[in-house]
Amino acid sequence: MKLSLKLEDQQQNQNPILFKAKIPIAVFGLPFLSAFSATHHHAAAASDKLSLSLRTHFPTGPSLKLSYNTPTTTANSGAGKMDTSPKPKSKSKKPKYSRFTQQELPAWKPILTPGWVIASFVAVAILFIPAGLLCLSASERVVEIVDRYDDECLPDSYSNKGDSFIQSKDTNKTCVRTMKVPRKMTAPVFIYYQLDNFYQNHRRYVKSRSDKQLRDRSYADETRDCKPEDNLDGDENEPIIPCGLVAWSLFNDTYKLSKGNKVLDINKKDIAWKSDTEIKFGSDVYPKNFQKGELIGGGELDETKPLSEQEDLIVWMRTAALPNFRKLYGKIYSDLEANETITIVIQNNYNTYEFGGEKRVVLSTMSWLGGKNDFFGIAFLTIGGICLFMAINFILLYVCKPRPLGDPSYLSWNRNPNGL
Amino acid sequence: MGGSESLVIVGAFHTLSSMLIDIIGAFRFYVVVVVNRFFIRVFGRFDRLRSDKVMPGRKGAFRSRVSGGDASGCSYRLLDSAPSSRTIQLGHVHPQAPGHRTVFCNDREANYIAKYLGNAVSTTKYNLLTFLPKGLYEQFRRVANLYFLAISCLSFTPVSPVSPITNVIPLSIVLFVSLIKEAFEDWKRLQNDTTINNSPVDMLQDKRWESVPWKMLQVGDIIRVKQDGFFPADLLFLATTNPDGVCYTETANLDGETNLKIRKALEKTWDYVIPEKASEFKGEIQCEKPNNSLYTFTGNLVLQKQTLPLGPNQILLRGCSLRNTEYIVGAVIFTGHETKVMMNSMNVPSKRSMLERKLDKVIATLFGVLLTLCLIGAIGSAIFVDVRYYYLQLLINVESQQFNPRNRIMVFFLSIFTLITLYSPIIPISLYVSIEMIKFIQSTKFINNDLRMYHSETNTPALARTSNLNEELGQVEYIFSDKTGTLTRNLMEFFKCSIGGETYGTGITEIEMEVAKENGANNEVHKPSSTKRDKGFNFDDARLMRGAWRNEPNPDMCKEFFRCLAICHTVLPEGEETPNKLRYQAASPDEAALVTAAKHFGFFFYRRTPTMVYVRESHVEKMGKVQDVSYEILNVLEFNSTRKRQSVVCRYKDGRLVLYCKGADSVIYERLGSGNDEIKKITRVHMEQYGEAGLRTLCLAYKDLSHEMYESWNEKFIQAKSSLRDREKKLDEVSELIEKDLNLIGCTAIEDKLQEGVPSCIETLSKAGIKIWVLTGDKLETAINIAYACKLINNDMKQFIISSETDEITDVESRGDQVEIAQFIRETVKTELQKYHGEAQKILNGSSRQKLALLIDGKCLMYALDPTLRSMLLSLSLNCSSVVCCRVSPLQKAQVTRLVRKGANKITLSIGDGANDVGMIQAANIGVGISGLEGMQAVMASDFAIAQFRFLTDLLLVHGRWSYLRLCKVVSYFFYKNLTFTLTQFWFTFQTGFSGQRFYDDWCQSLYNVIFTALPVVIVGLLDKDVSVELSKKYPQLYKEGVNNTFFNWKVVGTLACFSVYQSIVVYNFAVVSSTSGLTPSGLMLGHWDVSTLAFTCLVITVNLRLLMMCSTVTRWHNISIGGSVLLWFIFIFIYAILFIDKGTFFTIYVLMSTICFYLMIILLPTVALLGDFIYEGFQRWLYPYDYQIVQEIHRHDPDPVCAGLLDIGNQQTPEDERRYAFAMLPKEKSRHTGFAFDSPGYESFFASQQGVGAPQRAWDVVRRASMKPQPREQ
């Protein structure tokens, strides 16, 4: 991806470059490439140019270029002192003409004439309907299997007592689910878990984390916002890493997939955004005192792995916008054929029973547009349709209620000449 | 982005800088104005505070004498007591007696004890130390700022969902901008002060004149002021270079009057002219405390053990300038802020526009909406909190009780605060600053620089003295106009005359030309080009010039005519005694015009002594002979408004005694001798012709007196003159004795020219639905004449005349019983009002649609304004399309204006040029002063100053209308964008368990208002125009949209609110729905902050595009600012998203931009959001088009007009052509009215000022004082 922002005149491309330097630098640990150049123009309208460009090393990363041109004419200082001016007194006060002060800047005056109205509607329709079809077909191609298991995995003896089931250490939380593949799912197949009625966007919850602590070992005791999951047993020297409610409530159901007898490997690499694993979560920060308190909120972490490798946590900690959300669990790099039966062994550890949440496991393929999401297709089609409809409506309107464009008799004072 | 696009942006920055320079230039102009304004600067309370502050030192000295010890009001009470204690004299016994100031002239040490103020003045509001606290205090007096301060404070508490930055940053930016503006203005004031404080003056030091800066002056110093210099302080006038101890001062800076005032020094001090002598002066002045009365002064000068009384005659006030005098010597009495002019500074009541008041209501409504949103959220919050959500650990209190499920009441109340903080952007913080900025640029750049409103003859551009009222100009419904100097030029020109039954003069008056144009002339008739001609003389007839009158049928009559003109007047010649260099000083321009005319006819009046008049006469005895003749002036029978005439008795060298008389035709004709009926008849016909042409006529007559008769009369006259009781009356009676059996010479006709383009301007304005009232001091007939000429009244109109000059009233008046008169007039007025009101209703209800006009004179108006009749007067006059009030006093002008403004709650505009219009100008919603001519008083009080009445068309129809339109757009857009923004937050609240979690990042939220959506709306506020200048004036009816407030009413706001709701729903839902599934081929999910960044991006694009949809014109500035705003957002987020790793927004934009969905979304979402608006506008435009939209359509193919060099168009016709053409077009009908001279205000005072100073308190002064009283609260 490249966004370029050019603020230069074309002729200046021939300018001799006085100086140019490319320096790799690191900003917040990110590799950047900076370039510096100065050019000088010898012609009469001399203009010096300095430019500084900054670009990330990510293949998709952004780059930024700043350049500075010295103005060709330096502006005269505007405010002169009146009393020191040697000019004769009888100076004309006639305002100077400028298009700005006389309010005569050249302008485009768009008028919503019938032609324009219909043309815009038709244009939008022409643009949106194919786009909608394209999106819809992309979404159609995606195969998605959703299975809600929070109820199903509850033994009958515990129905309506989900929380005691889940909180008890003695219950068997293993649960086996099978699902049929409706259509062929080509690798990679993505496994998601989906929670409903889980307010990851609650103010108290969102705030309860310490990004500093996650990123850098030296900020281990930055747990101010993490209360009540800040320090182990209130001891300031025992900060919880990662602290806060978000980490504490880490989702800890596990899935094991098998196709027939063949166990499907679930790849848990690259399920988080690169920026999170590489920068936001430190590679030298290790979990400490995590889930050691009285209350266990959720999953535990491997204390030997740095946070940047705990991708489940990283995914979990990119909090969702809505109380119903999906998060990536892992990927399978093998095709699933149509009508195959997939067995999922679920460790049903996570407590959603207490607040009446739902849990689902989702298997899905991806298209260029992402997962199964008819929204774009439908939206584009609907809007395209509406525009088409409106175009027809307006045509009808213009036919049924014709009005000559710019007819003076429609002016209010002509319509009722005596009106006040 | 292509190459051309980038070029545009580079260009844009250049233009932006040049725009900045323009703006700086505007400030420079402002400085000039400030310099001019200085002497009557508005200091307001602060100066008073200041002078109070300095008092205590001295107050201590006499505290024992002021019982009660109420320290604060002290100085003022002392002021009040000043006149009564005038009898206390002896200086050394009570050196600081209450109410007195003792000044030891030429003795700094003696004065040192009193610790008088220095002469340095400071008009600044702040100094370095007080700037911040005081400036901030001023800022926080605005409710909006206070609100945001409160919100900012709230945001520091744990209750707040947003970090303090969100609210603090916009507030600081807003405050910063406002403070910068304040500082800049104050700095300009400081510069002025410094300039003035450092201007040099000659002060007596060691028997020499030393030049010192003004600020070094102290009370008691002796100084010298040279000709044309300004007096640096209030001075006691000691001596002058003029022989008789007088000097002339001009008080234009004080009261706007340009005629010279005479001041006379006490004879005892005449000698102290040279420094050696002056240094011996050791007088002691005892006088009143500093006060603000310009026309009074009481004090004593103790000189060589003698006590001499001092009056205003000996006082030279700061701010006046010295004229016709080489230099004067004076002693400083009052300095700096204690000078009368400084204490007199008036507090101009600041006016607020109607739109702003409406805006306040909208803001209040928004606040109501805010509270409702908060209430809903808070209830939700109280219901939501539940222990079940274990992952929130609600039972443990962190920071606050806010989420304690066991105390839902607390949750409810704390949530209200949380949500108020969260939703605070619903009230647009930058609105006021943006509006101020827009208005400031509108007034300084557009109004002040409009070439169409630049008057090249007087070199005067338009001037907006306040930027508060720009859009009010677009809503004016009533205009109150003064006549003289506003509709007319107040430039009296000798135009025609009739001598012995023969009419002379070939000119065509402006009025005749207008009438001619009206009668079917399509061709442009330009006014005669002003060939080099004397001011006051516009006469062209070869028969009288260069002695040709000798060949006329009646040469003797001509001779008398010219002599009458040259002798019978009270004009003072000034300057070198040659025809070209001499200037005439006359209070009334009529008089000057007459004397100038005599000069052109060969009777050059060049010198006046108290008893003699010297005239250089040509061609009298024979052609070509020039001789100096002196006439002894025996008596002057002065003009006053009852006599309506003026006579002079003079003795020729050969002993001939003649009485010359000039006056209004009615009084002169009564006093003519018998015979010569032919001449009388013809002259009367001539006068009627002149009157019809809008000329002011005067009759001239003379009478030869015999010695015996004169002597006997003169005795009576002297007796009357020296009588102590009823002197006026007796003088009048005596005058009657001699002013009879006169011989008519002829008459003069003076043109009080209508200003250029007045009739067409008035016509345009009335088409625009504006009703014009003329309020004038003139007589009814003159006023009607002018009203006809201006097309205010025509014969199709039903005229209601309420006049006090009916026979019945005259009868009653002649009986002289005041009570009876009052009762009678009141009854008459009442019955007439009732009668007319009934008639008016009948006509209005009928189908004839006849227009109505009301004419009322001042005396009747006085009774009609009575509370019992007021409402009837109001409803009658509101039904009339034009109203003429004549013979009204300045106070009545103000009353009438206030009646319509408050009584009918209409937007009024007053326009006037003179001091007598000040009250009216201040009483109206908008005051407009005519500038460029003499006198600054009206301009000083006005909000806008223009050079010509006709510029009102541009000011109202173009600037006012645009300004109104633009501000409506700006305000409604602000309303819309903030509502939309806040509502997206509101929808999110529902999804977060009503916890008040913010949807957007802190910085995005805080910069939304001040950066990402700020500039485009300002550009629209400056550049948007629905139709061009020409069309605005061509279709004046468009103005009615403003009068009816079509573009900012509850309907408009309601519609916008609906679209706001719709758009916010679209923006929010579309954005969050995208997060329900993976968005990339790699299956990754978006988080909260990704979604919010997406939503914010779409929101910024949407609201900016929405603005583009609102524009009538799209210049490149629109493109740059709208594109730039979106671009700025991207630049911001690009940088922000990599700089702040610990923010939720880290890398969001890059994540987003790596998905295709993002791009689809920024196409889809704004389209959907704006679809509703688009459909609405399509329907609205087609089915219920606004007038301006039709006009746009009519002229959709017109090219852009450009007015470069607009005013360089010369006359296309020669004056001769025009004259001939206009003649051909003259109407043949006759009018019964004749015009009269001697109507010019200020005429009487001229004589008063000749007699010494005791100038009467001017009417306007009374008005002004009245207006300075604490006023009832605005609305």
Side-chain angles (χ1 to χ4, degrees), chain A residues 6 9 62 93 102-103 108-109 192 199 203-204 215 228 248 273 280 318-319 351 371 401 403 412, chain B residues 6-7 391 393 396 402 449 459 966 995 1025 1078 1083 1085 1088 1090 1114 1142 1150 1181-1182 1187 1200:
Chain A
K6 282 194 171 178
D9 283 353
K93 290 180 194 155
Q102 301 309 315
Q103 312 195 51
W108 173 55
K109 291 174 221 150
Y192 296 92
Y199 287 87
R203 180 152 75 91
R204 175 140 168 164
R215 175 165 56 86
W248 177 74
W273 292 97
K280 257 182 110 79
R318 201 173 184 101
T319 52
N351 182 0
K401 270 198 167 278
R403 159 169 96 77
S412 64
Chain B
S6 53
L7 261 176
Y391 53 91
Q393 300 204 357
I396 300 170
Q402 186 165 9
N449 280 325
N459 190 19
R966 289 167 181 171
S995 58
K1025 48 181 186 178
M1085 295 294 299
H1088 170 187
D1090 307 296
V1114 182
D1142 295 333
Y1150 305 116
R1181 188 167 193 123
W1182 194 251
D1187 287 334
D1200 255 345

Side-chain angles (χ1 to χ4, degrees), chain A residues 5 12 17 39 71 97-98 102 136 141-142 247 285 309 332 356:
Chain A
L5 214 172
Q12 286 175 349
I17 292 168
T39 56
Y97 176 82
S98 88
Q102 301 309 315
L136 215 53
R141 251 182 281 140
V142 173
V285 185
E309 288 171 26
I332 311 169

Side-chain angles (χ1 to χ4, degrees), chain B residues 113-181:
Chain B
I113 311 156
K115 291 207 168 54
Y116 294 122
L117 280 185
N119 198 35
V121 294
S122 159
T123 60
T124 54
K125 273 158 104 179
Y126 316 103
N127 62 35
L128 269 183
L129 277 179
T130 60
F131 177 70
L132 217 57
K134 209 169 162 220
L136 283 176
Y137 170 72
E138 289 290 321
Q139 289 303 317
F140 285 122
R141 289 196 346 180
R142 290 182 175 176
V143 185
N145 286 345
L146 207 61
Y147 163 79
F148 284 103
L149 183 68
I151 295 291
S152 301
C153 293
L154 257 186
S155 66
F156 278 98
T157 65
V159 172
S160 161
V162 292
S163 73
I165 289 168
T166 323
N167 294 303
V168 171
I169 286 203
L171 183 64
S172 346
I173 291 181
V174 163
L175 289 181
F176 183 72
V177 170
S178 307
L179 285 180
I180 289 277
K181 188 185 146 221

